[in-house]
Amino acid sequence: MKKSWLIVAAVILQVAVLAYMAGERELIVRTGETVWLRTAPVDPQDLFRGDYVRLSYDLSTIPRSAWRGQLAQRVEAVERKGWRGRAPLQEEPVYVALKQGESGTMELDFVADERPAHGPFLRGRIESVWGSALRVRYGLEAYFVEQGKGLELERGRSRDGIQVPLEMEVAVGRHGTAVLRGHRWCPLGIGIDLQQERKDNANWLHAATVTLLNASAQPLAIVDLPGLRSLTLDPAGEGWWGSPGNGWRWVGRGSEPPPPLTDAAVKVLQPGEKHAWRVEFKDAAWFVAKPGEAHRSLEQLNEWSARFRLVYRPPPAAACQHLREAERIWHGTLATRAFGAGGID
Amino acid sequence: MRKHVAWLETQLREWVRDEIITEGQARNLRSRYPENAAALPWTLILFSSLGAVIFGLGVILLFAYNWHAIPKFGKLAIVFGALAAAHGAGLWFHQRSTRFRGLGEGLTVLGTMLYGAGIWLVAQIYHIQEHYPNAFLFWALGALALAWALPSVAQALVAAVLLTVWSGCEGLGFRSPLPLAPVLLLATLAPLMLRLRSRVLLAVLVPATVLTCIFSQTGYPGGGEAVFGLVLNLGVLLLALGRVAAAGKLFPEAASILGLYGWLAFLIPTYVLTFPNAAEDLLNLREGHPFAPLAYWLVSLLLALGAWVVRGHQALAAGDTPESPRAHDLLLVPLTALLAAVWLLTGVADDWLAAAPFNLALLALALGMMARGCRGGALRPTVIGCLLLVALAAARYADLFHSLLARGLVFLLVGATVIAEGVLYARGRRRRGAAEGLT
């Protein structure tokens, strides 16, 4: 009799583990706060679970400037030990505070090793620490879809060379645990084409064409400021090798005040319509430099560390309220793929 | 065991018929070998388990094909329903009678496989992408609970494999070593193995333990030398345990399995150490060597030497008999581990200086085993010794003997030794046969 109870208890243990897994997630889906997160999807296929899309988020790589509390000191202590010290930080829990972005998705506020007192946050685990960047995993990196749909999602991500980010609907529980619920496409996509020349066994950049695509089913407005002021040139991530952006900074525009915002700057794109800009790197407005060094044109640069992104940044919603098409303007930032003399990543 | 009992029963009937023994004496002899009701035939365990595993995989694939069309709670119902059905049916058959116990055990293994599939499927339903080695750990704990509750060798095998995979995923995939993983494995499964006297479980538990020992050290950067020494020490330990088991009463059937793995884990590293470059690399601790692998290596060395001390006492107490001559040559086994330890701790400047003692040790071991085998007419040490000698000669062909004359002489010597061994073994065999006939 006692033995029968032991056997039943062992079976109940297995059922209980599955019930806890499902129950915890179901509770979050039903009662958790819903947020949208923008992704950078990647690929593949899992043999036993059908298709799934591997996701990486804007929040997945966190620059040093966003580290708070004891986390920064702990990471610095690890860095002093060199690469051998990195292993202890792996799988350490961290808490990423979120703030509402203007495009309807949540954006990174800061990351700490303690739960934030207020506001929505996600609980993640450190995957790696390299240079000035913290790589964090949230348990949201796999999105399982019907067989065959994974490739469809992958194709949707890149339409004629224009990247349209996937945005994930996420339910967040009280303790920061998150569960994926669904997805949608970002209404705007961005693409880049480089004009390069091969000379003296090296590639030399001359110009780039940045294209925005209305990927939604509704008309959508973008802001095209004079002098290409809707675009900025950002170093490609806070770098792997120590100083932010590998030391490179965009210095071309300086601190000139922006021109007044008028309806002439607003372009309404119909569904599927594109709008393109041509950026000439010989123009001083696009010069870059490392601290203490002379300003240089991207045309003259052939260094592997000099990698950048062109970022579409419309004015904030508050500055656009007086415009006729204010309701249709998409407020958010979109970055192209990273590029340099070696081409596009 | 059943094969032997069946043979005994046949022989007892003949002896009673030929009036060598009486009926009462036959019953007494038969009662000395009761069949263990919990000991299933290994074929039943193997085929039931293999069938359950493949069936489980097939179930996963079938459901995966139609998965997305099923609503969420439908999927959960399938997961929990399948789990309950497999375990329910398994337990019903298991408890019903001895005759259906094997079927019941196979069904509970299917249930455990469905439990594992359920972990991955629930993760898929809720798009969970957590620290995946935890899934193997929870799966293993589920199997372990049933292994003890039933008790079941098949469930224990599943648990052993899963715990090894868990340890490997952590150590290799995340560089997060688990020093206590081998201890957990042994603590949860070794007592069950002894309780059930299961050779099948032992045959899986030994390599699982060795692998988890290795995995538990791979997460430390630069710990390779100590891991190599750890494997050598484990081989020495297993050989001692095998000989202790053979002479003891607790689980003598374990001796052959422990001996097989022991010889593999001892001979392979020792053979590698006969190569000068390998010996110089593997017997020099780098500066800043991580502490944990060193500690593991040291503990394994102490356990191995301790086991040989116990074996030594056992052998001295038993005495040296013609039926069981002392295997003095086997003293080279712990001495080799001790030598590796000294070299590892002191460091060796020269490659041949590092390798020479292992060449001599292996040569002495080969000749000693050949001599012991020929003397007692025992096939195993004769063959192992011969193979060792030939392997050593082949290894030194390229790096020690540079002239054709030297190579030729060595081959002549080894060939003559092997021929002489054959002759001496045949004589020893005849002597042994004659001695057994007289007694």
Side-chain angles (χ1 to χ4, degrees):
Chain A
M1 192 63 172
K2 181 183 170 185
K3 189 174 165 181
S4 298
W5 278 111
L6 275 174
I7 297 170
V8 169
V11 171
I12 288 173
L13 173 69
Q14 292 188 2
V15 174
V17 166
L18 292 182
Y20 178 77
M21 271 179 76
E24 187 198 22
R25 263 27 189 226
E26 187 63 33
L27 188 66
I28 291 172
V29 165
R30 286 178 181 271
T31 63
E33 182 181 353
T34 300
V35 300
W36 287 91
L37 300 176
R38 186 162 310 145
T39 72
V42 179
D43 38 30
Q45 188 142 17
D46 179 297
L47 282 177
F48 289 106
R49 295 191 284 180
D51 267 358
Y52 79 99
V53 182
R54 203 159 64 189
L55 304 174
S56 178
Y57 297 85
D58 292 345
L59 305 172
S60 298
T61 304
I62 302 178
R64 186 183 287 264
S65 54
W67 302 352
R68 298 283 184 273
Q70 298 296 314
L71 183 63
Q73 284 98 305
R74 288 174 64 200
V75 174
E76 280 156 16
V78 159
E79 285 176 329
R80 280 194 288 273
K81 283 187 190 172
W83 68 276
R84 281 170 187 259
R86 294 188 195 283
L89 274 183
Q90 256 188 333
E91 298 301 303
E92 282 286 311
V94 290
Y95 300 88
V96 176
L98 305 174
K99 61 183 179 186
Q100 185 68 49
E102 293 210 325
S103 62
T105 58
M106 299 299 271
E107 296 174 352
L108 169 71
D109 194 358
F110 62 86
V111 64
D113 52 359
E114 283 175 353
R115 209 181 284 191
H118 311 287
F121 66 92
L122 291 179
R123 186 175 189 270
R125 290 190 180 273
I126 297 177
E127 263 191 346
S128 59
V129 182
W130 285 105
S132 300
L134 200 66
R135 184 88 191 155
V136 178
R137 190 182 76 244
Y138 302 97
L140 303 171
E141 285 73 22
Y143 185 52
F144 294 94
V145 296
E146 194 178 332
Q147 195 163 14
K149 296 291 183 198
L151 199 55
E152 207 176 287
L153 279 178
E154 179 61 25
R155 285 196 189 118
R157 183 183 74 89
S158 178
R159 308 175 196 186
D160 296 330
I162 294 177
Q163 309 300 310
V164 182
L166 202 56
E167 293 178 349
M168 306 308 297
E169 184 186 12
V170 176
V172 184
R174 272 189 315 124
H175 303 289
T177 305
V179 182
L180 286 173
R181 291 170 63 162
H183 71 279
R184 70 184 182 195
W185 292 105
C186 178
L188 207 61
I190 189 167
I192 183 169
D193 263 316
L194 295 179
Q195 282 80 60
Q196 293 180 294
E197 183 190 352
R198 183 121 184 116
K199 195 170 68 176
D200 301 329
N201 282 327
N203 290 325
W204 302 94
L205 285 175
H206 290 308
T209 302
V210 177
T211 308
L212 289 181
L213 165 73
N214 179 359
S216 71
Q218 309 297 328
L220 188 138
I222 60 163
V223 179
D224 180 6
L225 292 171
L228 299 177
R229 292 184 76 98
S230 294
L231 293 178
T232 61
L233 184 66
D234 292 5
E238 290 204 17
W240 291 85
W241 305 109
S243 44
N246 306 317
W248 290 102
R249 281 286 176 264
W250 177 42
V251 297
R253 199 162 283 160
S255 54
E256 305 156 23
L261 185 54
T262 64
D263 285 314
V266 179
K267 304 279 187 282
V268 176
L269 301 180
Q270 298 303 314
E273 189 179 347
K274 298 176 189 174
H275 180 84
W277 291 290
R278 183 173 172 86
V279 175
E280 298 282 349
F281 293 124
K282 65 184 178 204
D283 189 341
W286 302 106
F287 278 14
V288 296
K290 278 189 174 177
E293 293 183 9
H295 297 186
R296 295 168 73 180
S297 164
L298 279 173
E299 267 195 329
Q300 302 156 358
L301 272 185
N302 194 21
E303 294 181 33
W304 64 269
S305 64
R307 304 200 70 71
F308 299 89
R309 298 180 196 275
L310 280 161
V311 182
Y312 168 64
R313 291 182 199 279
C320 299
Q321 279 177 353
H322 64 282
L323 299 172
R324 194 172 56 241
E325 300 282 1
E327 295 292 319
R328 286 188 174 169
I329 296 174
W330 184 81
H331 293 284
T333 59
L334 268 184
T336 64
R337 290 161 68 182
F339 65 90
I344 300 172
D345 282 353
Chain B
M1 187 66 179
R2 280 201 185 142
K3 194 171 67 175
H4 295 104
V5 169
W7 173 87
L8 180 64
E9 284 177 347
T10 311
Q11 294 301 306
L12 287 172
R13 279 196 292 275
E14 285 183 14
W15 296 338
V16 167
R17 193 189 58 222
D18 295 341
E19 294 178 3
I20 297 169
I21 57 173
T22 64
E23 287 275 358
Q25 285 171 329
R27 274 196 297 275
N28 279 342
L29 283 168
R30 178 65 185 87
S31 67
R32 286 175 71 87
Y33 306 101
E35 282 193 56
N36 187 349
L40 294 164
W42 68 269
T43 47
L44 186 57
I45 296 171
L46 186 67
F47 287 114
S48 298
S49 303
L50 184 62
V53 166
I54 295 171
F55 190 87
L57 291 172
V59 167
I60 293 170
L61 288 167
L62 275 176
F63 278 118
Y65 180 72
N66 291 304
W67 200 239
H68 211 76
I70 305 170
K72 178 170 61 176
F73 288 106
K75 293 175 188 173
L76 289 172
I78 289 169
V79 168
F80 285 99
L83 180 66
H87 277 312
L91 294 179
W92 188 74
F93 280 111
H94 188 270
Q95 303 291 64
R96 193 179 163 194
S97 76
T98 316
R99 192 172 158 214
F100 293 105
R101 195 156 282 181
L103 173 63
E105 188 163 350
L107 284 168
T108 60
V109 170
L110 173 64
T112 297
M113 293 305 293
L114 290 172
Y115 163 62
I119 292 175
W120 300 108
L121 288 172
V122 169
Q124 189 213 47
I125 290 168
Y126 290 99
H127 307 284
I128 299 171
Q129 185 78 350
E130 290 285 358
H131 186 66
Y132 73 85
N134 289 345
F136 290 109
L137 176 62
F138 281 105
W139 194 355
L141 292 175
L144 210 52
L146 275 171
W148 276 96
L150 283 168
S152 164
V153 168
Q155 296 278 0
L157 292 175
V158 172
V161 169
L162 289 172
L163 284 173
T164 308
V165 170
W166 165 64
S167 165
C169 289
E170 290 280 8
L172 297 171
F174 290 89
R175 296 184 71 83
S176 173
L178 301 169
L180 293 179
V183 177
L184 176 67
L185 186 69
L186 283 174
T188 53
L189 289 171
L192 185 63
M193 181 264 301
L194 287 172
R195 180 180 157 192
L196 298 177
R197 301 277 185 111
S198 171
R199 296 179 76 228
V200 172
L201 184 51
L202 177 66
V204 170
L205 192 57
V206 169
T209 306
V210 173
L211 279 174
T212 50
C213 283
I214 295 170
F215 293 148
S216 68
Q217 307 309 312
T218 51
Y220 299 100
E225 299 86 6
V227 173
F228 185 84
L230 170 67
V231 174
L232 176 65
N233 294 340
L234 287 175
V236 173
L237 174 62
L238 289 170
L239 284 170
L241 290 176
R243 296 195 73 83
V244 166
K249 292 178 184 170
L250 181 60
F251 193 11
E253 302 90 350
S256 56
I257 295 171
L258 290 170
L260 171 67
Y261 286 121
W263 279 118
L264 282 172
F266 170 72
L267 286 176
I268 293 173
T270 307
Y271 187 69
V272 168
L273 288 175
T274 62
F275 291 84
N277 289 340
E280 192 189 18
D281 269 339
L282 292 166
L283 294 177
N284 270 302
L285 283 179
R286 290 168 218 280
E287 225 177 276
H289 198 283
F291 172 74
L294 268 182
Y296 241 82
W297 165 77
L298 188 62
V299 167
S300 65
L301 177 69
L302 293 173
L303 285 173
L305 295 178
W308 276 98
V309 167
V310 168
R311 172 56 197 154
H313 275 294
Q314 205 181 41
L316 285 171
D320 195 0
T321 64
E323 294 83 19
S324 179
R326 281 199 200 130
H328 297 286
D329 52 287
L330 293 183
L331 284 173
L332 287 162
V333 169
L335 283 174
T336 305
L338 211 49
L339 177 65
V342 169
W343 259 208
L344 197 66
L345 291 172
T346 58
V348 189
D350 181 68
D351 51 2
W352 272 110
L353 183 61
F358 296 98
N359 280 275
L360 292 172
L362 212 55
L363 178 64
L365 185 64
L367 294 173
M369 290 178 84
M370 288 161 73
R372 176 162 54 92
C374 292
R375 205 168 48 238
L379 184 63
R380 192 179 299 171
T382 309
V383 170
I384 294 176
C386 176
L387 289 173
L388 275 179
L389 183 66
V390 169
L392 199 55
R396 300 290 73 80
Y397 178 90
D399 56 21
L400 183 60
F401 308 116
H402 298 295
S403 77
L404 284 175
L405 176 64
R407 288 170 179 174
L409 285 173
V410 165
F411 271 56
L412 283 173
L413 193 61
V414 169
T417 306
V418 173
I419 292 170
E421 183 194 29
V423 171
L424 290 170
Y425 171 76
R427 281 188 198 164
R429 192 83 188 147
R430 274 199 299 274
R431 260 200 313 274
R432 179 176 165 175
E436 283 171 356
L438 282 174
T439 54

